[in-house]
Amino acid sequence: MQQKEIFETYESDVRSYCRNFPTVFSSAVGSVVTDVDGNSYIDFFDGAGALNYGHNNPYIKSKVIEYLQGDGIMHWLDMMTVPKAELIETMEERVLKPRGLNYKILFPGPTGTNCIEAALKLARKAKGRSNIWALMGAFHGMTLGAMALTTDRTDRKAAGITLDNCTHIPAPYMFPELDTIKYMQTLLDDDHSGAEKPAALILETVQAEGGIYVLSEEYLRAVREFCDKNDILLIVDDIQVGCARTGRFFSFERAGIVPDIVCLSKSIGGIGLPLALCLVKPEYDVLKPGEHNGTFRGNQLAFVASKASLEFMLDAKVEDGVKEREAVIKEFLEENIVKPYAEKGISIRGIGCMWGIEMNKNAMSKAVQQACFKRGLVLERAGRDDSVVKIMPSLVIPMDTLKKGLEIVKEAVDEVMANA
Amino acid sequence: MQQKEIFETYESDVRSYCRNFPTVFSSAVGSVVTDVDGNSYIDFFDGAGALNYGHNNPYIKSKVIEYLQGDGIMHWLDMMTVPKAELIETMEERVLKPRGLNYKILFPGPTGTNCIEAALKLARKAKGRSNIWALMGAFHGMTLGAMALTTDRTDRKAAGITLDNCTHIPAPYMFPELDTIKYMQTLLDDDHSGAEKPAALILETVQAEGGIYVLSEEYLRAVREFCDKNDILLIVDDIQVGCARTGRFFSFERAGIVPDIVCLSKSIGGIGLPLALCLVKPEYDVLKPGEHNGTFRGNQLAFVASKASLEFMLDAKVEDGVKEREAVIKEFLEENIVKPYAEKGISIRGIGCMWGIEMNKNAMSKAVQQACFKRGLVLERAGRDDSVVKIMPSLVIPMDTLKKGLEIVKEAVDEVMANA
Amino acid sequence: MQQKEIFETYESDVRSYCRNFPTVFSSAVGSVVTDVDGNSYIDFFDGAGALNYGHNNPYIKSKVIEYLQGDGIMHWLDMMTVPKAELIETMEERVLKPRGLNYKILFPGPTGTNCIEAALKLARKAKGRSNIWALMGAFHGMTLGAMALTTDRTDRKAAGITLDNCTHIPAPYMFPELDTIKYMQTLLDDDHSGAEKPAALILETVQAEGGIYVLSEEYLRAVREFCDKNDILLIVDDIQVGCARTGRFFSFERAGIVPDIVCLSKSIGGIGLPLALCLVKPEYDVLKPGEHNGTFRGNQLAFVASKASLEFMLDAKVEDGVKEREAVIKEFLEENIVKPYAEKGISIRGIGCMWGIEMNKNAMSKAVQQACFKRGLVLERAGRDDSVVKIMPSLVIPMDTLKKGLEIVKEAVDEVMANA
Amino acid sequence: MQQKEIFETYESDVRSYCRNFPTVFSSAVGSVVTDVDGNSYIDFFDGAGALNYGHNNPYIKSKVIEYLQGDGIMHWLDMMTVPKAELIETMEERVLKPRGLNYKILFPGPTGTNCIEAALKLARKAKGRSNIWALMGAFHGMTLGAMALTTDRTDRKAAGITLDNCTHIPAPYMFPELDTIKYMQTLLDDDHSGAEKPAALILETVQAEGGIYVLSEEYLRAVREFCDKNDILLIVDDIQVGCARTGRFFSFERAGIVPDIVCLSKSIGGIGLPLALCLVKPEYDVLKPGEHNGTFRGNQLAFVASKASLEFMLDAKVEDGVKEREAVIKEFLEENIVKPYAEKGISIRGIGCMWGIEMNKNAMSKAVQQACFKRGLVLERAGRDDSVVKIMPSLVIPMDTLKKGLEIVKEAVDEVMANA
């Protein structure tokens, strides 16, 4: 049987990405992936944000192979192990302390949604309240606790039950005439609002799946102040936009705020190994032994990769590199997308190495995506009606590859707009 | 800072296993793990069932390293890739077809709880009902959808919200006077039972966390018949007890039944790499593209390891080896535990390479565990009040290591019973 | 337009009883109701238990008319009024104290379901737990809080949402082999039962809608003991079976137990005026002012009627009369129903003035009901599949009317069994 | 025991109104109530809106007594009876048809909250959706289904469980800068809003408990249009503001809209007898026989009173009388409250015979209430923080009594503002 046929015959119909990129991939290095027919593709998809340091990053990979070859323990639940100690130490000493951050580290299981579920447990127990506030436009995961926060209608419907204990607050960009901070304060102050005071407010500082909406620094600071004033925890979901994606290791650093709980996953695994970390202020580290568990929360190989990725990130000054790439991407898109197509309603949004081209319609963004793939570029779509073309290269993509990829995007948009 | 201190200072208080085994582990081969001080321990814990083929199984590990060295793509969501094609093909051609099983494979994300959440979505959508029936004594995971099924009281309380859309059915061993199949039928037939007809009934054929309760073949067949008769899906959670643990690759094979959905995780990852698979009869493969997703559902290294583990399992005739070890363990325990201590209420339960010694009290099982650790054996506890000492070695543990471990268990029990 | 046509044209299709008794009723005295065509019917229906003292009981009615004629205040929410003071005083001094009962009285609104909702609030607040245990077979009302306890499948489905925060416990008659007290204790003691400890256990001492199942005194005492031992409130729903229906004013008196909360409605309104009372032990009277409210909780005319009904009940020694009628009914049914039809599976159940003939099939009980109506007797059906013919006359039905009614029942059953 | 003592000793602490009006009331005629000490009070409270036609309205009362004296059937569940036929006919022929309204009548039980629960069932079944949208500021009742819609925080907390399946929408007066119709449309159109499409939107055209907020005709028409466009039912809760309170029998008539379901209670009972009616467009009359039930849904005496009240309302041209009184009240308040105290932030809101003085603080409104009571006037408070003094006299209050009452209000406000 041909490999493509294997998937069509045996894999569940729920499979999704593969339908838009109908080839069988085999290997990948840096920002280039290769399929079984020898075709190469520039990667602006980045494994949905899990490959910030490039495919098979040589430094990280070497540490992983070394560990494997030494018969390092691979899996041992939440026992104490050498790789875990080293990861914790690196995170605390080299990442948190220099940033003035004081968090305990909770290993919630290897996926982002595990991490969100753990954060919700922490917040609910710490505050003794069951409700959580999340923003409209949010994506926080697909297990039931996280899914109650996630706003994508298709995702929610698939739950098959009523999703509760969450109230969705308008995102600040949705109703510009509404001061959404004042709105939240009114929900609390008005004794006839019908609102339940939440244990926590959770947000992504850049709504990725929502359509690459960058929340302003002023807004983030106002949210932090709101939470402080009202005894509500602030959880930042940095799963997709953390790990230097926006130019600083934590996405909230640009606003100068300190969340009570931070959720990390995706690129924290270094080279795509499943890992998630939940950072929590010591005073909210309230779960007793065993109150959250899960088999794979001791994925040692990912600990090794994660430690190596932090070292790489610091030593290679990845944050600075993001800012350089940000300038290139922004300038390119303004010149080649905004200038020609602004009056046709095309716009861009983004920060760091995460940009969106708002095509306004599913069919349009899909056409761009297909035109890119035809030309050797893989990228994803996001947002309302999936109308946003999402440009999310590795943070260490070589400049010429980045430019080549951007040229393809330009050509694709030109082609699509010419036929629109 | 000393490594132990790192954990005490920086890791969340939720950490659990490490408290009973207060040393820092470094490497592991087969059934022996080693700590940083050079102490070695026989492993009857098996990473909670994720290491059926031994730590750093050489065949599996070699495939993993080979893949890494070849710059194989590591992470690519649910795109088509070579390792995924090969895993699917191996599972279908070498595992499912020879057993006469016809399942589609859904990749739900890398953890057992992801897999349960996906199974629940499938069932709820397929049947258009929201309720699920689970057995008292069950453990199915710790994200909110799965946690509603899980029965451990501490786990449930930590949710911080009401867990609903699940009805718990007495396990057959709990009330021997009650025909629990008839009980379930009455819940459906009695129009005043207050029961909601479920989309699915889910069970572990051996309740592991519940205390190593082996459900009888007759019971399993009766459940299958009950589900068929009443248009209810049967989901078997084979996360801990599948992958040959009980002597057949799937734990339900001994009863000759075919579930509608099978959840696999833990040892399906080969050497402890996070992976889960949801096997679903084609007619219930009802989720549309994207209705279940998650970043790490394309953990390529785990696909490689998983394929290799299936090959190993088949080629090394692991199933046969389990039966040999089962005989050894059973005989040993009957001679050395049951015979001397039966009249003091100590009993054993188990199948394959999964046995429990019922010590009846938390303090007793804990004392045995500590006495074992002191003697160089790691094992876990389970069950009501955590009163069961859990013997769960690798399926390929060398016979002499197995016997050595069992001797330690005997000594530990003797010591504890002498002081009781 | 003819009156019957008015209903068919304008009244909602949800109307139910009227479909089985297709005539327009006009007046009623004692145990006889009359329709617009001058036909009279013996009443074994009793307004579903709200007319224990007979239609238009002359003593009660005279007090009501007197009050109306004196321009007594009719409606005044929960202000202090003369009728309310007099009702409270009569209830406390003449009913509760002589029985050694010490309850505060809460006026929850005029319907049984209001009363149940208030009782649930009290219990949940008093114990700080959200779950409630109710028995399979129970009926407790049709607003959402009460409906979660009610077991009738049709009723529940009509909710249109998931009913939660209630666990249904097998009624003691359902699985005779199962000790349901031990079952409940196991749910609490087994830390893997999946059960949530309830704030309260609620029951009807005789399940009326469930099919006239009389719970034994031993069972009731065991439940009381179980609740005491486990810090769970016991709520007795005496809405249908209180007010002397079973031979004592409170149905639980026969078992010598004292519930923590008692719900009264139906005949507490004297002559069918809407009223409900919630009796609560002082230590559980925990709702603060306004935490339960409702416009019609000060139905003064019903207070007047209620006080008069208590006086009538006591002065006319209604409790004694119930026992006399019980003997008559029981003897008649045993002679005329059980003796001839026991071997065809027909059986009886009951106590006081509340009896059921188990016809085993909806079609059979319906045929009996129709054959009765044809002969001038109104009675209702109840139970699983509505298969029980329900004999529920006024407690003061004249003996000859009672016998006449029973004769009709006999004829109807004979006719139906002859054609079966 | 003194009567006051009876309440303190035996009545539940949940009692509320009586605390602000500490006297025992005995009789009442028209707009004057009298206590046991012979003190008389003008009534601006109106039994919370259940006494629109005055205490012991002579016409209505005469019909009630006549019926009682004729041994009319008092209680007969949902059987066909003469009083029910006559009420239906009067409502259809004299109220609905002349207004061009075509509704079926559902008898949901005698309280407003029963009616809301029935309306929710109808809507959920008709549309197959579980969510309901209600406005912030709303009060819809105190049983669990209705309570999920009610916004008062104290009421909600008393539920003791999570209230779900309801989303609260900002009332139009809360955020003047926000177009709340557009807001609702965005919740539906934005596939990442996280909002569940509701079966129905429910509102009071004048939020009474919320603080006498009159929703504009434009808003009401826009809501109707929004519901039509989006296949959502519109339920108007006319329990407090119907029955001519606002100048037209139905409060929504002023906006020229036709709701899909109308909930009536309170004054529909004529002289304070418990009654509720649910009016439903024939196409949404989807509940099958028995899917909603309740013992007291056939309160015959209330049917008699209700019919008489409709006759009275029409024959006495009550609607016109409301408009005359509206003019008097409005002019008086503008002259005596707004003019002197507007700059101190005191304002008024209202329509028909329902007005509120916004005192901005609980302590202030309470002081006014007590100052009124001292002077022989009973009135209630409402709104956020209970800061609104509520002027709600009978619709047929004699003009001089009305003016006398208003003078007392003026004096009370003067006194309170002088001390402020």
Side-chain angles (χ1 to χ4, degrees), chain A residues 10 12 16 61 71 285, chain B residues 10 12 61 71 78 97 285:
Chain A
Y10 294 125
S12 164
S16 169
K61 197 176 73 169
D71 279 330
D285 180 37
Chain B
Y10 295 126
S12 165
K61 195 176 75 168
D71 279 331
D78 70 356
K97 285 197 185 156
D285 180 37

Side-chain angles (χ1 to χ4, degrees), chain D residues 19-316:
Chain D
R19 297 172 190 269
N20 290 323
F21 309 98
T23 191
V24 179
F25 296 90
S26 52
S27 64
V29 176
S31 284
V32 177
V33 294
T34 304
D35 69 13
V36 290
D37 303 316
N39 303 307
S40 284
Y41 302 85
I42 294 175
D43 178 10
F44 272 19
F45 169 42
D46 200 58
L51 296 164
N52 282 5
Y53 314 116
H55 291 271
N56 281 296
N57 178 296
Y59 176 73
I60 302 172
K61 195 175 77 168
S62 69
K63 295 294 182 183
V64 165
I65 293 178
E66 187 185 308
Y67 186 77
L68 271 163
Q69 286 171 331
D71 280 330
I73 197 163
M74 289 289 284
H75 163 85
W76 208 222
L77 285 100
D78 71 354
M79 304 274 201
M80 292 182 283
T81 62
V82 172
K84 193 169 165 183
E86 291 181 0
L87 170 58
I88 293 174
E89 195 170 28
T90 304
M91 176 60 88
E92 292 284 351
E93 298 297 331
R94 297 197 58 191
V95 177
L96 297 181
K97 284 197 185 157
R99 284 164 171 78
L101 297 170
N102 178 22
Y103 289 122
K104 288 203 150 199
I105 303 179
L106 184 155
F107 294 85
T111 68
T113 199
N114 289 139
C115 191
I116 298 292
E117 298 258 349
L120 299 183
K121 282 186 195 175
L122 285 165
R124 283 172 170 143
K125 183 164 184 188
K127 292 297 168 195
R129 302 175 206 133
S130 62
N131 198 26
I132 301 290
W133 284 2
L135 296 193
M136 296 182 188
F139 180 91
H140 295 294
M142 288 293 276
T143 50
L144 268 190
M147 211 184 323
L149 317 177
T150 290
T151 56
D152 184 284
R153 193 161 291 159
T154 306
D155 293 352
R156 292 177 70 84
K157 273 208 178 148
I161 65 166
T162 301
L163 298 168
D164 49 22
N165 288 294
C166 177
T167 303
H168 286 98
I169 302 294
Y173 56 82
M174 289 174 68
F175 303 95
E177 66 276 24
L178 182 71
D179 177 342
T180 58
I181 303 294
K182 192 183 126 239
Y183 175 84
M184 293 194 292
Q185 192 63 50
T186 300
L187 291 194
L188 296 182
D189 293 347
D190 183 344
D191 61 12
H192 282 63
S193 69
E196 302 295 327
K197 184 168 179 172
L201 186 156
I202 186 169
L203 56 76
E204 309 146 280
T205 66
V206 183
Q207 290 194 332
E209 298 309 307
I212 322 293
Y213 283 97
V214 183
L215 306 187
S216 75
E217 298 174 16
E218 294 68 33
Y219 176 77
L220 295 171
R221 282 191 287 270
V223 166
R224 176 69 275 185
E225 196 183 348
F226 167 80
C227 287
D228 284 341
K229 184 178 160 188
N230 295 290
D231 186 34
I232 294 168
L233 296 191
L234 175 60
I235 305 174
V236 167
D237 176 344
D238 242 8
I239 292 172
Q240 182 161 165
V241 302
C243 294
R245 173 60 56 188
T246 62
R248 306 287 290 270
F249 184 75
F250 294 111
S251 76
F252 52 80
E253 293 179 65
R254 68 180 162 102
I257 62 167
V258 180
D260 299 302
I261 300 177
V262 181
C263 296
L264 290 175
S265 185
K266 296 203 186 239
S267 283
I268 200 69
I271 46 169
L273 296 175
L275 185 65
L277 300 183
C278 192
L279 307 180
V280 53
K281 282 189 184 167
E283 59 267 40
Y284 304 124
D285 181 37
V286 294
L287 292 175
K288 277 185 252 165
E291 288 192 339
H292 185 78
N293 59 51
T295 297
F296 289 124
R297 67 197 188 281
N299 182 10
Q300 307 296 319
L301 209 58
F303 294 162
V304 170
S306 186
K307 176 191 174 234
S309 77
L310 297 179
E311 290 166 347
F312 175 81
M313 185 269 301
L314 293 165
D315 297 346

Side-chain angles (χ1 to χ4, degrees), chain A residues 3-4 6-19 21-29 33 36 43 45 47-48 50-51 55-56 61 64-65 67-69 71-82 84-85 88-89 92-93 97 104-107 110-111 113-114 117 121 124 130 139 142-145 147 154-155 158-161 165 265-266 271-275 285 287-293 295-297 299 301 378, chain B residues 3-4 6-19 21-29 33 36 43 45 47-48 50-51 55-56 61 64-65 67-69 71-82 84-85 88-89 92-93 97 104-107 110-111 113-114 117 121 124 130 139 142-145 147 154-155 158-161 165 265-266 271-275 285 287-293 295-297 299 301 378:
Chain A
Q3 287 196 318
K4 265 196 221 177
I6 289 173
F7 296 98
E8 282 153 20
T9 309
Y10 294 125
E11 191 179 0
S12 164
D13 282 351
V14 81
R15 70 194 187 280
S16 169
Y17 284 99
C18 57
R19 296 172 190 271
F21 308 99
T23 189
V24 179
F25 296 91
S26 51
S27 63
V29 176
V33 294
V36 290
D43 178 11
F45 168 44
L51 296 164
H55 291 269
N56 281 296
K61 197 176 73 169
V64 165
I65 292 177
Y67 186 78
L68 271 163
Q69 285 170 334
D71 279 330
I73 197 162
M74 290 290 283
H75 162 86
W76 207 223
L77 286 99
D78 69 356
M79 305 275 199
M80 292 183 283
T81 61
V82 173
K84 193 169 165 183
I88 292 174
E89 196 170 28
E92 292 284 350
E93 300 297 332
K97 284 195 186 159
K104 287 203 150 198
I105 303 179
L106 184 154
F107 295 84
T111 68
T113 198
N114 289 139
E117 299 257 348
K121 282 186 194 176
R124 283 171 169 144
S130 62
F139 179 91
M142 288 294 275
T143 50
L144 269 190
M147 213 185 323
T154 306
D155 292 351
I161 66 167
N165 288 293
S265 185
K266 297 202 187 238
I271 46 170
L273 295 176
L275 185 64
D285 180 37
L287 292 175
K288 278 185 253 162
E291 289 192 340
H292 185 77
N293 59 50
T295 296
F296 289 123
R297 66 198 189 281
N299 182 9
L301 208 57
V378 172
Chain B
Q3 286 197 320
K4 265 196 220 176
I6 289 173
F7 295 98
E8 282 153 21
T9 310
Y10 295 126
E11 192 179 358
S12 165
D13 282 351
V14 81
R15 69 194 188 280
S16 170
Y17 284 99
C18 55
R19 296 171 190 270
F21 309 99
T23 189
V24 179
F25 296 91
S26 52
S27 62
V29 176
V33 293
V36 289
D43 178 11
F45 168 43
L51 295 164
H55 291 270
N56 281 295
K61 195 176 75 168
V64 165
I65 293 177
Y67 187 77
L68 271 163
Q69 285 170 331
D71 279 331
I73 197 162
M74 290 289 284
H75 162 86
W76 208 223
L77 286 98
D78 70 356
M79 305 273 200
M80 293 183 283
T81 62
V82 173
K84 192 168 166 183
I88 293 174
E89 196 170 26
E92 292 284 352
E93 298 298 330
K97 285 197 185 156
K104 287 203 151 198
I105 304 179
L106 184 155
F107 295 84
T111 69
T113 199
N114 289 139
E117 298 257 350
K121 283 185 194 177
R124 284 172 169 143
S130 62
F139 180 90
M142 287 293 276
T143 50
L144 269 190
M147 212 185 324
T154 306
D155 293 352
I161 67 166
N165 289 294
S265 185
K266 296 201 187 242
I271 45 168
L273 295 177
L275 185 64
D285 180 37
L287 292 175
K288 277 183 251 163
E291 288 192 339
H292 184 77
N293 59 52
T295 296
F296 289 123
R297 67 198 189 281
N299 183 8
L301 208 58
V378 172

Side-chain angles (χ1 to χ4, degrees), chain A residues 40-57:
Chain A
S40 286
Y41 303 85
I42 294 175
D43 178 11
F44 272 19
F45 168 44
D46 199 59
L51 296 164
N52 283 5
Y53 314 116
H55 291 269
N56 281 296
N57 178 296

